[in-house]
């Protein structure tokens, strides 16, 4: 079993499609074009990572608020 197979299952559908598109660009191009394709793919990944890291604090606050509100709602339901 390969150690990286667990991570592939955690990718979103969009991530898998991008990965497949990247794979399609390899193998039939010359070496320089393949290097350029890899650089472009890495740049896109870096941009996506940066975007997701900026999004984490916003989602954390949302999920904490939803948790508190859900707890209050449950408390009200059980109290009656």
């Amino acid at each position: 079993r390969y150690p990286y197979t667990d991570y592939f299952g955690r990718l979103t559908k969009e991530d898998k499609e991008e990965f497949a598109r990247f794979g399609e660009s390899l193998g039939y191009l010359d070496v320089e074009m393949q290097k350029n394709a890899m650089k472009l793919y890495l740049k896109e990944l870096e941009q996506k990572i940066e975007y997701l890291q900026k999004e984490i604090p916003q989602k954390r606050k949302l999920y904490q608020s939803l948790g508190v509100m859900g707890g209050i709602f449950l408390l009200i339901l059980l109290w009656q």
Side-chain angles (χ1 to χ4, degrees):
R1 185 172 172 177
Y2 299 103
Y4 299 108
T5 56
D6 292 338
Y7 296 114
F8 193 74
R10 296 179 185 170
L11 297 175
T12 64
K13 182 180 177 181
E14 179 183 302
D15 292 336
K16 290 178 184 177
E17 289 172 357
E18 289 178 21
F19 190 65
R21 185 173 44 103
F22 169 68
E24 291 171 358
S25 69
L26 299 177
Y28 71 90
L29 302 172
D30 66 357
V31 175
E32 283 303 312
M33 292 297 289
Q34 289 185 38
K35 287 180 183 179
N36 290 337
M38 285 184 201
K39 288 178 185 177
L40 178 64
Y41 185 72
L42 286 174
K43 187 174 183 178
E44 289 175 359
L45 281 177
E46 289 170 353
Q47 290 173 347
K48 187 166 187 176
I49 288 170
E50 186 177 319
Y51 170 76
L52 291 173
Q53 286 177 338
K54 288 179 182 177
E55 198 176 71
I56 287 173
Q58 296 169 350
K59 286 191 176 186
R60 181 179 297 145
K61 185 175 182 180
L62 172 69
Y63 294 145
Q64 286 175 342
S65 299
L66 286 173
V68 170
M69 296 296 279
I72 293 171
F73 179 72
L74 186 62
L75 180 65
I76 292 171
L77 282 177
L78 293 177
W79 192 354
Q80 294 181 1

